[in-house]
Amino acid sequence: MEMPIVMTIAGFDPSGGAGILADIKTFEQIKVYGISVISAITLQTEKEFQSVRHRSISNLIEEIEFLTKHYSVRFAKIGMIKDAEILQEVVSILHRKKIKIIWDPILKTSTHKQTFVKHSIPQLKSILNDIYCITPNVNESLEISGKSDITEAGLDLSQHTNVIIKGGHNLSEKGTDLLFIKNTNQSIKIPPQTQLEVEPKHGSGCVFSASLTAYLSLGFSIEESAIKAKSYTEHFLASNNSLLGYHSK
């Protein structure tokens, strides 16, 4: 059986901890084949974010068109993107090609550097209708929804798309993710899947969304994929004591 081909459209992190390189490492471990389009070039390590150069929408469209002409892609993950206008263009082209999209909404880096143009955030909700699933952390879910409560944020966003609010910043239930299925008005709690002792890791959000994309491409449901992705990410977080994680299933 051939591996499914999945696409990542994300930033290049030269440290290898986040972005395109983290996505490709994750895809390989889960036995799917990754192809990629670089949306931005960053200068960073696991401890310091120095700069970002976003690539033009014309570059992204040209590469997406070229790759999807040669490869059969059913799922694509989007990571770092400059603003709502570029996100809309990328989402539109993928949606027309019937590719299901997982978007990890990176609004700021872990060092609080704003990487998504802030004034375009209110435009995001309308774009979400053409996205299969988003994977915000708690703060991102509140900012995109305009709500002040996690559950309210999830219910609001799930009127447009499936939502998984990652539990790393969930103060009430640490480590518990919340899955909101589109148009169901209910949440599913996904608690930690292992007993491993985890440590913070650079790129853990990228790894979660990439593993979610990979499991979806293998035919698992959104809930099954969220559970499996959480387990994969916990192994990544427990792999060592540094900020750079190792990949293994």
Side-chain angles (χ1 to χ4, degrees):
M1 180 179 174
E2 291 186 357
M3 288 185 181
I5 296 175
V6 293
M7 175 181 285
T8 170
I9 303 165
F12 174 76
D13 168 13
S15 78
I20 289 276
L21 294 178
D23 293 348
I24 295 297
K25 292 174 188 177
T26 303
F27 294 158
E28 285 289 308
Q29 287 294 328
I30 300 174
K31 305 296 189 238
V32 301
Y33 190 88
I35 59 176
S36 62
V37 173
I38 294 176
S39 60
I41 298 172
T42 71
L43 184 57
Q44 64 177 308
T45 66
E46 72 278 20
K47 296 179 181 178
E48 179 183 357
F49 189 97
Q50 184 162 310
S51 64
V52 57
R53 286 182 289 131
H54 292 280
R55 299 183 69 223
S56 71
I57 186 58
S58 60
N59 287 146
L60 303 189
I61 289 175
E62 179 184 21
E63 292 171 24
I64 292 168
E65 288 281 14
F66 179 80
L67 289 170
T68 54
K69 187 165 59 178
H70 287 81
Y71 303 107
S72 176
V73 179
R74 291 181 53 244
F75 286 88
K77 176 220 157 172
I78 302 174
M80 182 180 287
I81 211 90
K82 183 181 179 181
D83 55 29
E85 181 180 357
I86 291 179
L87 179 65
Q88 177 69 79
E89 292 279 352
V90 171
V91 167
S92 294
I93 189 171
L94 294 173
H95 187 67
R96 287 198 306 270
K97 293 174 180 292
K98 302 188 186 313
I99 296 171
K100 290 185 176 178
I101 302 161
I102 289 78
W103 180 41
D104 183 26
I106 302 166
L107 306 182
K108 296 178 181 179
T109 68
S110 56
T111 55
H112 308 294
K113 165 78 173 177
Q114 188 82 32
T115 59
F116 189 91
V117 175
K118 193 165 186 175
H119 66 72
S120 72
I121 291 175
Q123 303 170 42
L124 290 175
K125 282 189 185 179
S126 62
I127 303 172
L128 298 182
N129 294 308
D130 290 335
I131 292 176
Y132 181 72
C133 183
I134 61 170
T135 60
N137 61 31
V138 169
N139 294 333
E140 290 161 346
S141 73
L142 299 177
E143 190 161 4
I144 295 170
S145 67
K147 304 296 183 181
S148 57
D149 173 80
I150 305 173
T151 301
E152 287 182 12
L155 291 172
D156 178 72
L157 295 172
S158 65
Q159 294 176 43
H160 307 276
T161 183
N162 296 305
V163 182
I164 301 171
I165 301 179
K166 294 171 292 196
H169 300 144
N170 185 347
L171 299 179
S172 60
E173 293 181 274
K174 187 71 172 175
T176 295
D177 297 351
L178 295 175
L179 167 63
F180 297 82
I181 305 293
K182 184 176 179 179
N183 291 329
T184 63
N185 289 319
Q186 64 178 352
S187 64
I188 300 169
K189 291 183 179 182
I190 302 178
Q193 297 298 298
T194 70
Q195 299 299 314
L196 297 170
E197 292 188 19
V198 300
E199 299 281 348
K201 290 287 179 292
H202 176 54
S204 57
C206 301
V207 169
F208 176 80
S209 58
S211 54
L212 178 74
T213 307
Y215 285 119
L216 286 167
S217 76
L218 289 169
F220 293 100
S221 70
I222 183 72
E223 184 174 356
E224 291 170 329
S225 296
I227 291 169
K228 286 179 174 293
K230 186 163 186 63
S231 178
Y232 183 95
T233 306
E234 286 172 12
H235 282 85
F236 173 77
L237 293 171
S239 62
N240 65 70
N241 294 325
S242 79
L243 287 174
L244 287 177
Y246 306 144
H247 290 257
S248 62
K249 281 191 70 178

